Every structure is written in C-alpha cells, then in structure tokens.
Amino acid sequence: MTAEPKKRINYFYDHALGIFTHGTNHPMKPFRVRMTHNLVMNYGLCKKMEIFRPKPSTIDELTQFHTDDYINFLGKVTPSNMETCIKDCTRFNVGDDCPAFDGLLEYCRRATGGSLEGAARLNQGLCDIAVNWAGGLHHAKKQEASGFCYVNDIVVAILELLRYHKRVLYIDIDIHHGDGVEEAFYTTDRVMTLSFHNFGEYFPGTGDIHDIGIGKGKYYSVNFPLREGVDDMTYKSVFEPVVSHVVEWYKPSVIVLQCGADSLSGDRLGCFNLSSKGHADCVRFVKKFNIPMLVLGGGGYTIRNVSRAWAYETAVVIGQEIGPELPPNNSDNDYFGPEYTLDVHPSNMENKNTREYLEKIMITIFENLDRSRHAPSVQIQGSVHFLIIA
C-alpha cells in the first residue's frame, strides 16, 4: 500500500426511500438509511463530500441484468392484487420473505439509482469513492427475489463498471453469503467475488469454501465461511491477509465493498460479534489500497446499530474521527438509548471459530488463488503459519 492521498468522495442519498415499508413486522426497514443520513448530516460529514440525490434507475438499466418479465411483474404486483397472481408470485419468489408492498418497483429503482450513478461517476474519474448506503442488496437473482432483495443493484453497478474496467473486485462483509452477485459472475474472470459470511444451517445456505466458480470463472469466486461468534480480532486476522492476497493476485482497477451491518453484534437476525469499530476497520483497510471504490450498504436489522455503524464508516471514508458522543441535535436520538453513544459494542458470546479451522480455510483459499490465471507462478509449500486470533 502507498501513502493515502486525499480522496474525492461522492455520497448518494434519496430521502424518499425512508417512506417505503416492507410491512410492520418485516425485519427490513428502509428507514435505517434515513437514520444514517441524519447522523451523517448532524456530525457535519457533508462538508467533506459531494452529496447527490441520484436519479432512479430506468427499466432498461435494470434489465441489463434482470429479465423483462420479472421487472414488469415487480411493477404490477401490489398487496391488493397478490391473490390474483399467485402463480407469478411463486415463480418470482415474491411472498413471505420478499413481500409485495406499495411502490415496490419505485423503491428498487431508487435504491439502485445511487449504486449505478456512483459506478458511472467512478468510471468518469469524477470521484475516488462513491457511497450508497441504500444499495448492497446482494441476494436478488436474475428473475427471482431473495432474502429481502428484489433488484440486485450490485450486479447492475458492476456491469456499468465493466464498461471501463477490465477487472472488478467485489468484497462482501454481510453476515449472509453474497450469493446473487457470485451467481451472476460465476463463469467470468472479469469479476472476482470475495465473501466473508456465516455458513452452515443459515440463509442462503451457499458460500462453501469449495464454491470457486466454473469455466473462465474458476478460482474467481472466493468464499470464507465463518462460524458463529466471530469477534473483531478474529475477523481482522483473516480479513486483512485474504484481502491483501486477493488484491495482489487479481490487481483490480476498482473495488465494490458491500458493508452489510447484520454482521454486527446484537443484530436481530445475525450471530456474529463484531463491534462497529471492527466492522469499520474492514472499510478502513480496503480504502488504504488507494483503488477507486464503490461502498454499499446491505443487510442489518437492528436499525439503531446499522445507522450508527454506517455513519461511522462514512467518517472513515472521508478520514474524519467522530463520536463517541452522538450529535445533540440529531432528531433520531431517542432510538439510541440507553447509552446514547455512537459505538456498537460486542457481547460475551462464544467465538466458535477455532485457530485450526481458520488456518485450514486460509490455506485452501491461497492454494486456489495460486491456480488463478492472474497469479504469479508461486506455490505455497510446506507449513504455513498465520497470526490468527480465535
């Protein structure tokens, strides 16, 4: 890594996203992005960024990846007409986890708009880092909703980046495997996907260490399956060497970083034990490579934690220290009691990631990278030792 120059930051936010709802009892709360933005503004982080309200993506832009009939369906289905289109709801997986709600397609277009516009501005050299916390919806498939995700803004944005970049690196720190993005690029070497996630009897059930891509894409899908309770030090001890190795081997000209906050301690649907600082250290580390970067949101279902973590990571992106006190004039401060501070702290949950398990995964990943086309002709020989703290 070289000395870090001053970065030009573009930040994308559409206030209308906060009015959409998946349903009263649904875990996904688009309001979390508005809460994040309120913290960003009240900390004064806006002074060091260009802030844009992105245009909603067009239907044509969405169908660069998704099928026409799927996008057309998302534009027609509503809570009141679901009973008349059960067959299509089943076909496109719109139902319990991914319910129809009023304005569904408009919500998708607005969430995708920031990711797509950020990618376009990176392509044009107008910024060094683009941030869209409303994006990062990594489970959506070509013609299927999945995991609270309907349109895969990440894939749409990467397709835009591929117009100007030969190699795109996608890094995913959501607790769930980035299956929709991996699947979209599973047969190409122009996108390398790297996902750190909980694996086992856990949604979506994919992301095994042996899922490495096929055809031209063989060895360009990298998965680091983690067990429950991973903490800051353990995560850092695997994240940094693996990311460093991948960047050195693959030599991407742009990075897409999905910052799903359900890997934080205390998440409503999660089982990891990361603090907000440990989570943000991933952003800080990737930023140090001085490679143009698109930073996106993702999962995160304890919204008081999501908004604090993403506000803190916005500060990391611009290189400013904030907290631990919350800004006193923030309208959402009632959500952050009883401590009323910025930090999300870890709990005392058991870390089930043993040193031996993590070393085995890392060795397998490094051996696979050695076989990739962009790798230098160096093989790992003998025993390999890593500073892994479990």
Side-chain angles (χ1 to χ4, degrees):
M1 299 180 193
T2 59
E4 185 178 329
K6 186 177 180 180
K7 300 289 195 300
R8 297 167 298 160
I9 314 299
N10 285 183
Y11 171 95
F12 297 89
Y13 173 70
D14 184 342
H15 73 274
L17 281 166
I19 68 173
F20 294 94
T21 175
H22 293 58
T24 304
N25 297 318
H26 197 280
M28 177 62 92
K29 306 292 185 186
F31 182 69
R32 65 201 179 135
V33 178
R34 183 181 289 186
M35 289 174 63
T36 301
H37 182 70
N38 286 343
L39 285 172
V40 165
M41 296 301 288
N42 285 307
Y43 273 120
L45 303 180
C46 53
K47 299 173 184 176
K48 294 187 178 180
M49 305 184 292
E50 285 190 85
I51 299 182
F52 298 88
R53 183 180 183 183
K55 297 176 183 176
S57 55
T58 66
I59 299 302
D60 286 344
E61 287 167 341
L62 298 184
T63 55
Q64 293 293 307
F65 171 60
H66 296 284
T67 61
D68 292 349
D69 54 350
Y70 174 58
I71 295 300
N72 289 338
F73 174 75
L74 294 183
K76 293 186 298 185
V77 68
T78 67
S80 59
N81 68 15
M82 283 186 67
E83 296 292 331
T84 63
C85 54
I86 294 297
K87 185 176 180 180
D88 281 340
C89 285
T90 301
R91 175 188 174 194
F92 297 124
N93 197 36
V94 173
D96 293 335
D97 282 349
C98 300
F101 57 87
D102 291 329
L104 172 55
L105 184 57
E106 182 185 356
Y107 165 77
C108 295
R109 291 176 59 205
R110 289 179 181 274
T112 304
S115 301
L116 190 56
E117 199 166 322
R121 290 185 63 84
L122 286 167
N123 282 345
Q124 295 160 21
L126 298 174
C127 64
D128 301 303
I129 302 176
V131 180
N132 177 35
W133 294 123
L137 304 176
H138 59 173
H139 294 306
K141 310 298 196 300
K142 191 176 185 69
Q143 55 179 354
E144 180 181 314
S146 178
F148 316 154
C149 306
Y150 304 85
V151 165
N152 200 314
D153 65 286
I154 306 168
V155 173
V156 174
I158 290 176
L159 290 173
E160 172 64 21
L161 291 170
L162 287 171
R163 296 176 58 215
Y164 288 76
H165 296 271
K166 290 183 178 179
R167 291 188 293 277
V168 178
L169 172 60
Y170 171 70
I171 304 172
D172 191 315
I173 61 172
D174 195 291
I175 195 173
H176 301 95
H177 176 230
D179 58 332
V181 184
E182 180 185 274
E183 181 179 303
F185 300 110
Y186 207 59
T187 61
T188 181
D189 60 0
R190 291 195 61 200
V191 179
M192 177 169 271
T193 60
L194 171 58
S195 180
F196 298 82
H197 51 268
N198 185 232
F199 181 74
E201 295 181 5
Y202 196 75
F203 183 87
T206 54
D208 188 271
I209 182 66
H210 301 297
D211 296 338
I212 58 174
I214 57 175
K216 287 185 177 181
K218 190 174 184 180
Y219 305 124
Y220 292 92
S221 292
V222 182
N223 287 295
F224 203 117
L226 290 158
R227 296 171 177 167
E228 295 179 4
V230 63
D231 58 24
D232 290 355
M233 291 300 295
T234 301
Y235 204 96
K236 180 185 179 73
S237 72
V238 297
F239 182 84
E240 293 190 0
V242 170
V243 170
S244 295
H245 216 66
V246 165
V247 170
E248 179 186 352
W249 247 241
Y250 191 57
K251 294 179 171 56
S253 55
V254 66
I255 294 174
V256 178
L257 177 60
Q258 195 266 21
C259 301
D262 44 10
S263 44
L264 290 168
S265 182
D267 188 79
R268 180 177 173 185
L269 300 183
C271 57
F272 281 1
N273 197 24
L274 297 182
S275 72
S276 51
K277 290 186 176 178
H279 196 269
D281 278 345
C282 297
V283 180
R284 184 178 284 109
F285 185 75
V286 176
K287 180 189 172 191
K288 289 180 181 178
F289 288 100
N290 294 322
I291 296 171
M293 182 166 59
L294 177 61
V295 178
L296 305 173
Y301 308 102
T302 301
I303 61 174
R304 60 196 294 271
N305 292 348
V306 176
S307 54
R308 289 187 291 175
W310 287 348
Y312 182 59
E313 286 166 7
T314 305
V316 167
V317 164
I318 66 174
Q320 179 173 321
E321 289 296 323
I322 59 171
E325 300 82 9
L326 290 172
N329 53 340
N330 183 54
S331 60
D332 298 318
N333 276 358
D334 286 348
Y335 283 93
F336 302 120
E339 66 275 17
Y340 299 103
T341 59
L342 182 66
D343 297 337
V344 178
H345 297 288
S347 70
N348 61 353
M349 72 183 300
E350 178 187 0
N351 184 352
K352 296 183 179 180
N353 296 273
T354 65
R355 185 189 190 103
E356 294 73 23
Y357 170 75
L358 296 172
E359 285 191 355
K360 181 179 178 181
I361 295 296
M362 287 184 68
I363 290 172
T364 301
I365 287 174
F366 289 176
E367 288 176 344
N368 285 339
L369 287 172
D370 273 348
R371 300 183 179 102
S372 69
R373 186 156 55 93
H374 295 293
S377 55
V378 176
Q379 294 184 350
I380 296 176
Q381 297 179 346
S383 60
V384 180
H385 300 282
F386 308 103
L387 181 61
I388 294 177
I389 302 171

